[in-house]
Amino acid sequence: MPATLRNREAILAVLQDVVPRQGMLLEIASGSGEHAAFMAPQLAPLVWQPSDYEAENLPSIDAYAADSAAANIRPAVRLDVTQQPWPVSACDALLCCNMIHIAPWAAAEGLFAGAAAIMAAKDAPLILYGPFRRHGAHTAPSNAAFDDSLKSRNAEWGVRCLDTEVVPLAQRAGFALDRVIEMPANNLTVIFRKA
Ligand SMILES: C[S@@+](CC[C@H](N)C(=O)[O-])C[C@H]1O[C@@H](n2cnc3c(N)ncnc32)[C@H](O)[C@@H]1O
């Protein structure tokens, strides 16, 4: 996917600063698996566990991992964030790129509920990447147009508001907002920490 290729260097730079050197990172909504294949080798010995809701994405994730020859990518698992408990029982960091706006709000709720259940360590990072509204407003005309197109595809989808929707949800689940990092193309990386 072109967007996945464009943003991967910028996301990796954030991860290199934020994730632990060892342990396991769970990637939610890995999609094609291109992020895992590019980023995981550069974060070793941290182990990368890819996952996705769509069973048909799992072979693609595993194929990208095999092509990368990375030794630290586990076989992809099917994980629907709305179905508790998750099939992964623990992780030291969690990454979720471009999911909560392309899914019903129940996916954001499931994401934080599931993460709270499997992330034990205080300050463990939960990292979201994607477009967000700020204080109820879009940050760019292109994001407003994207929001309209999402809603025309599915009325339950849409660009979420970081301040009035996502942060309160995270706090209710036991995650504190750590940092908001502006990314290319009007996206944000948002770092939450287990409280
Ligand atoms: C736009 S793609 C993002 C893929 C990749 N993370 C990226 O940034 O290129 C959205 C992904 O969210 C996944 N997804 C949607 N609903 C989900 C759910 N309930 N649980 C887990 N993943 C879900 C889809 O299967 C799809 O792979």
Side-chain angles (χ1 to χ4, degrees):
M1 289 167 70
T4 309
L5 295 178
R6 275 199 305 273
N7 61 30
R8 63 186 195 176
E9 303 270 0
I11 299 172
L12 175 63
V14 175
L15 294 186
Q16 284 170 325
D17 192 35
V18 166
V19 300
R21 300 278 167 263
Q22 306 211 357
M24 197 266 275
L25 177 147
L26 172 62
E27 185 189 16
I28 298 294
S30 299
S32 63
E34 287 161 280
H35 277 154
F38 176 74
M39 297 182 199
Q42 305 191 62
L43 295 168
L46 183 74
V47 172
W48 189 292
Q49 173 66 71
S51 71
D52 203 84
Y53 160 75
E54 299 282 359
E56 52 263 44
N57 283 344
L58 305 186
S60 166
I61 298 168
D62 290 340
Y64 271 108
D67 276 356
S68 79
N72 62 332
I73 306 178
R74 287 191 183 160
V77 294
R78 181 164 188 274
L79 193 161
D80 175 350
V81 290
T82 67
Q83 298 299 310
Q84 313 290 336
W86 288 358
V88 176
S89 59
C91 73
D92 304 290
L94 185 145
L95 173 68
C96 180
C97 299
N98 290 318
M99 183 196 74
I100 65 169
H101 57 285
I102 312 186
W105 180 244
E109 294 174 329
L111 173 69
F112 282 101
I118 69 165
M119 297 177 76
K122 185 176 180 324
D123 293 335
L126 185 161
I127 302 142
L128 296 187
Y129 168 88
F132 293 88
R133 287 179 287 128
R134 296 302 312 267
H135 307 290
H138 285 294
T139 60
S142 58
N143 280 8
F146 182 47
D147 194 24
D148 288 342
S149 79
L150 288 170
K151 287 175 174 146
S152 71
R153 287 165 66 190
N154 186 322
E156 291 189 82
W157 295 4
V159 174
R160 311 301 178 189
C161 179
L162 181 62
D163 308 280
T164 65
E165 296 174 331
V166 182
V167 169
L169 174 67
Q171 288 172 339
R172 287 196 296 276
F175 288 89
L177 179 63
D178 177 12
R179 265 194 283 165
V180 179
I181 302 160
E182 295 199 2
M183 305 292 282
N186 301 304
N187 289 297
L188 299 177
T189 297
V190 185
I191 317 290
F192 293 95
R193 300 268 179 188
K194 187 83 190 282

